[in-house]
Amino acid sequence: MRWRQGRRSSNVEDRRGEPSPGGGGGLGGLGNLLALAPLLLRSKRGWLILLALGALYYFGGNLFSGMQSTESPSLGPDSQTAPGTQGADDEVAQFVSVVLADTEDTWGKLFQQAGGQYVAPKLVLYNDAVRSACGLSSAAVGPFYCPGDAKVYLDLNFLNELKKLGAPGDFAFAYVIAHEVGHHVQNQMGISAKVQQARMQADKVTANRLSVMLELQADCYAGVWAFYAHRDRNMLEPGDIEEGLRAAAAVGDDHLQRRSGRAVSPDAFTHGSAEQRAYWFRQGFTTGDVNKCNTFAALSGQ
């Protein structure tokens, strides 16, 4: 990617180096679960919530649980540390800031054209663990967006996880950032709230399908950003889109299930298959049209 001359975002909140939250004095992790247990056990629904929380605590917040690396992240073998930085971590942090700024430019313009106003998210850089409006999360959960505080949370070491998944490269990492920003766009459009309400009233299989549709739409929105980054600012280089497609496929539910030694179970998908994720990212990139990202209409009959 041609990113070094790009604008840096003022919406990056750097919490790296801060003490890990939820230490000895608080009720983080399992302590919160145990504190809630007496209340939750009073009803059948409470039992279900307790089981879900227990599974979340035990297995981690997403399919990247337990994969976090301790290596210093780098954008690739050809990357060079920019003048005035202090090593690979700072270079990657600068890259994140530029990508975030570019998503701000893209979505700000698109919202304005639609008669709305885009309020850009904050992006929090952290190490090891972080507390958000969505609770306490370890770096093992991977990048995530919290609608409660409208922030994207990112541990830079996730770049190493992408390499392990077979998706190296700066644009692969940019795709991940743009995907999480896509969730913020959904939040601003009111899509996330509607999906969450529908999921609460649905059975597990249907709830999973709604989650898949939401994730695939965020992939499509990441593709829309890439369209404008390429057309309007010439940020993409040859091979970048292929990097993005490999990254989208690498985090497909079927790929991750196989990688963890499990059988592929489509009913358990929450993010979409490798083929679906690559398809919807390409859909956004080839059209540059937000209206072409209606995964709910496209997948509702399947």
Side-chain angles (χ1 to χ4, degrees):
M1 285 184 67
R2 304 179 185 93
W3 64 271
R4 295 185 184 280
Q5 303 305 314
R7 178 179 71 84
R8 271 61 171 171
S9 174
S10 61
N11 288 311
V12 176
E13 183 180 328
D14 196 343
R15 298 189 198 171
R16 293 175 298 164
E18 294 184 3
S20 292
L27 279 175
L30 184 59
N32 275 328
L33 188 60
L34 295 175
L36 288 170
L39 179 62
L40 294 175
L41 291 175
R42 295 177 183 175
S43 67
K44 181 178 180 181
R45 177 172 289 185
W47 268 98
L48 296 175
I49 294 172
L50 185 61
L51 288 172
L53 288 173
L56 183 62
Y57 172 77
Y58 186 79
F59 292 108
N62 71 9
L63 294 172
F64 299 108
S65 179
M67 292 174 54
Q68 201 62 20
S69 172
T70 57
E71 302 173 30
S72 294
S74 64
L75 294 172
D78 298 326
S79 64
Q80 298 177 351
T81 301
T85 65
Q86 298 177 355
D89 279 14
D90 290 313
E91 182 192 40
V92 179
Q94 286 191 38
F95 174 80
V96 169
S97 181
V98 170
V99 172
L100 181 64
D102 206 76
T103 65
E104 293 166 357
D105 295 341
T106 294
W107 290 110
K109 182 177 180 180
L110 291 175
F111 268 65
Q112 185 179 40
Q113 290 174 349
Q117 183 178 3
Y118 180 65
V119 180
K122 296 285 186 180
L123 188 150
V124 178
L125 298 176
Y126 72 97
N127 297 123
D128 301 327
V130 69
R131 188 175 298 281
S132 71
C134 295
L136 180 63
S137 301
S138 76
V141 305
F144 67 95
Y145 173 72
C146 178
D149 54 23
K151 293 181 179 181
V152 173
Y153 291 84
L154 180 65
D155 185 317
L156 297 183
N157 282 318
F158 187 74
L159 180 56
N160 293 327
E161 307 312 319
L162 282 175
K163 295 175 183 177
K164 292 179 181 179
L165 289 169
D170 52 7
F171 191 81
F173 201 35
Y175 151 76
V176 171
I177 298 166
H179 171 92
E180 299 305 334
V181 171
H183 284 310
H184 177 70
V185 173
Q186 292 171 322
N187 193 31
Q188 282 213 270
M189 290 181 173
I191 298 171
S192 300
K194 291 179 181 178
V195 171
Q196 180 60 20
Q197 184 176 11
R199 290 184 77 248
M200 292 176 64
Q201 299 170 353
D203 60 81
K204 184 177 180 180
V205 173
T206 302
N208 285 346
R209 285 178 56 80
L210 288 169
S211 177
V212 167
M213 294 175 190
L214 194 71
E215 295 294 335
L216 294 178
Q217 186 177 61
D219 283 333
C220 190
Y221 286 170
V224 169
W225 160 75
F227 172 89
Y228 288 100
H230 180 55
R231 191 194 72 174
D232 295 351
R233 293 174 288 280
N234 195 32
M235 290 184 69
L236 274 61
E237 296 176 305
D240 278 346
I241 287 302
E242 287 73 20
E243 284 184 10
L245 290 169
R246 282 195 297 270
V251 292
D253 285 321
D254 52 344
H255 177 81
L256 293 172
Q257 286 177 350
R258 290 191 191 97
R259 194 177 189 277
S260 64
R262 291 177 290 164
V264 174
S265 175
D267 284 346
F269 287 0
T270 57
H271 287 65
S273 68
E275 182 180 2
Q276 287 176 314
R277 300 201 70 167
Y279 171 85
W280 283 102
F281 173 75
R282 187 186 292 276
Q283 172 82 346
F285 176 71
T286 55
T287 66
D289 187 353
V290 175
N291 295 318
K292 300 295 185 181
C293 293
N294 190 346
T295 55
F296 300 92
L299 300 173
S300 60
Q302 295 183 8

